[in-house]
């Protein structure tokens, strides 16, 4: 056994109880999160699996991990919103890129101008989706941080009550 395999064996033995709280990347480039989620990089995005169940494809690891956090904390509405907004953002981004490329290839100035006018609404929609997605990601971060804070809760003094 080489030293890397030995380290992996020792690591798994020592941290077996903490695996449901850890996020790490293995040698294949996959992310393992909380002992039951796998985020696998693919050509079209990041494929998420929950206990061998296919969840879907996300555009980036931030959104994929946020979905895992929301699902872990049983915030299913947030998880659904994260997946839906990520898919919408991916579609609108691709649509903008394709239409802009068509406009760039055109030799007619009027056609380019028409495409730019049509893209303005889509660009505004993209910004709105990005803001909504950022809010969802921040909410997932809050859930994760709150979970960590609960495990290391402060034990402060209780305020003195008087009998007045």
């Amino acid at each position: 056994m080489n030293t890397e395999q030995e380290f992996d064996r020792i690591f798994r033995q020592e941290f077996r109880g903490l695996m449901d709280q850890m996020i790490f990347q293995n040698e294949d480039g996959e992310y393992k999160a909380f002992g039951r989620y796998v985020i696998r990089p693919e050509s079209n995005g990041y494929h998420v699996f929950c206990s061998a169940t296919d969840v879907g494809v996300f555009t980036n690891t931030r959104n994929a991990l946020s979905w895992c956090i929301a699902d872990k904390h049983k915030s299913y509405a947030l998880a659904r919103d994260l997946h839906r907004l990520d898919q919408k953002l991916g579609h609108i981004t691709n649509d903008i890129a394709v239409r802009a490329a068509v406009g760039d290839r055109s030799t007619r100035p009027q056609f380019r101008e028409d495409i730019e006018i049509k893209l303005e609404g889509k660009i505004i929609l993209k910004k709105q989706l990005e803001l909504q997605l950022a809010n969802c990601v921040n909410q997932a971060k809050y859930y994760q941080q709150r979970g960590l804070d609960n495990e290391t809760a402060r034990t402060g003094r209780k305020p003195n009550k008087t009998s007045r």
Side-chain angles (χ1 to χ4, degrees), residues 58 63 66-67 70-71 75-89 129 132-137 139 143:
F58 290 84
N63 297 343
S66 296
W67 183 93
D71 189 66
S75 181
Y76 302 120
L78 176 61
R80 184 183 61 243
D81 289 345
L82 278 160
H83 192 230
R84 182 182 53 81
L85 289 170
D86 184 76
Q87 283 184 330
K88 276 186 172 182
L89 184 61
L129 288 172
Q132 290 174 353
L133 195 55
N135 286 338
C136 288
V137 167
Q139 193 173 358
Y143 285 145

Side-chain angles (χ1 to χ4, degrees), residues 4-17:
E4 189 174 318
Q5 291 172 335
E6 181 68 20
F7 175 76
D8 191 39
R9 185 184 63 77
I10 292 171
F11 175 80
R12 291 194 190 281
Q13 286 176 350
E14 293 296 321
F15 294 105
R16 189 176 310 274

Side-chain angles (χ1 to χ4, degrees), residues 42-96:
E42 294 182 352
S43 62
N44 59 342
Y46 293 86
H47 209 131
V48 176
F49 298 92
C50 174
S51 302
T53 303
D54 183 6
V55 172
V57 178
F58 290 84
T59 56
N60 57 42
T61 53
R62 188 185 84 177
N63 297 343
L65 186 57
S66 296
W67 183 93
C68 296
I69 291 168
D71 189 66
K72 173 188 171 200
H73 290 282
K74 295 179 177 41
S75 181
Y76 302 120
L78 176 61
R80 184 183 61 243
D81 289 345
L82 278 160
H83 192 230
R84 182 182 53 81
L85 289 170
D86 184 76
Q87 283 184 330
K88 276 186 172 182
L89 184 61
H91 292 304
I92 200 83
T93 301
N94 289 340
D95 191 29
I96 289 170

Side-chain angles (χ1 to χ4, degrees), residues 119-137:
L119 284 179
E120 285 178 13
K122 291 190 182 281
I123 291 170
I124 291 169
L125 177 62
K126 179 183 174 193
K127 290 291 183 193
Q128 290 172 344
L129 288 172
E130 287 171 343
L131 286 174
Q132 290 174 353
L133 195 55
N135 286 338
C136 288
V137 167

